[in-house]
């Protein structure tokens, strides 16, 4: 017998576990990222940049912005059953 789980089922069954893993993610913690919303295929996070995260123009460095985007993408994709690694599987 096979049980089919949809993305909402995965969310409900594993929410606490996934949220804890994301909360403890070392790089995101180092940068001060805070996960503010998490659901099937959706996530939001915030980051309050300090002076060390600014470029020579006084704006947030692109690497910080991309790190935040990567963290949110990883969080949102945790509840989706499809491959979300950004590459196609070859068999």
């Amino acid at each position: 017998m096979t049980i089919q789980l949809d993305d909402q089922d995965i969310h409900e069954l594993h929410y606490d576990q996934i949220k804890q893993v994301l909360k403890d993610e070392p790089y995101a913690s180092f940068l001060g990222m805070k996960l503010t919303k998490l659901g099937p295929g959706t996530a939001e996070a915030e980051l309050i940049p300090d002076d060390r995260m600014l470029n020579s123009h006084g704006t947030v460095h692109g690497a910080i912005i991309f790190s935040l985007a990567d963290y949110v993408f990883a969080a949102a994709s945790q509840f989706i059953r499809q491959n979300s690694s950004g590459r196609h599987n070859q068999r």
Side-chain angles (χ1 to χ4, degrees), residues 35-86:
L35 195 61
T36 58
K37 181 178 178 182
L38 182 62
T42 185
E44 292 178 11
E46 66 182 18
L47 167 71
I48 300 173
D50 64 29
D51 291 342
R52 297 171 297 168
M53 298 175 178
L54 305 180
N55 61 26
S56 59
H57 302 288
T59 59
V60 177
H61 195 284
I64 299 298
I65 295 168
F66 277 93
S67 292
L68 183 60
D70 181 63
Y71 179 61
V72 172
F73 172 79
S77 65
Q78 294 300 309
F79 296 105
I80 298 175
R81 293 170 294 141
Q82 300 171 353
N83 179 0
S84 57
S85 65

Side-chain angles (χ1 to χ4, degrees), residues 21-32:
V21 167
L22 292 167
K23 181 180 164 229
D24 293 339
E25 205 284 319
Y27 184 65
S29 295
F30 171 73
L31 292 176

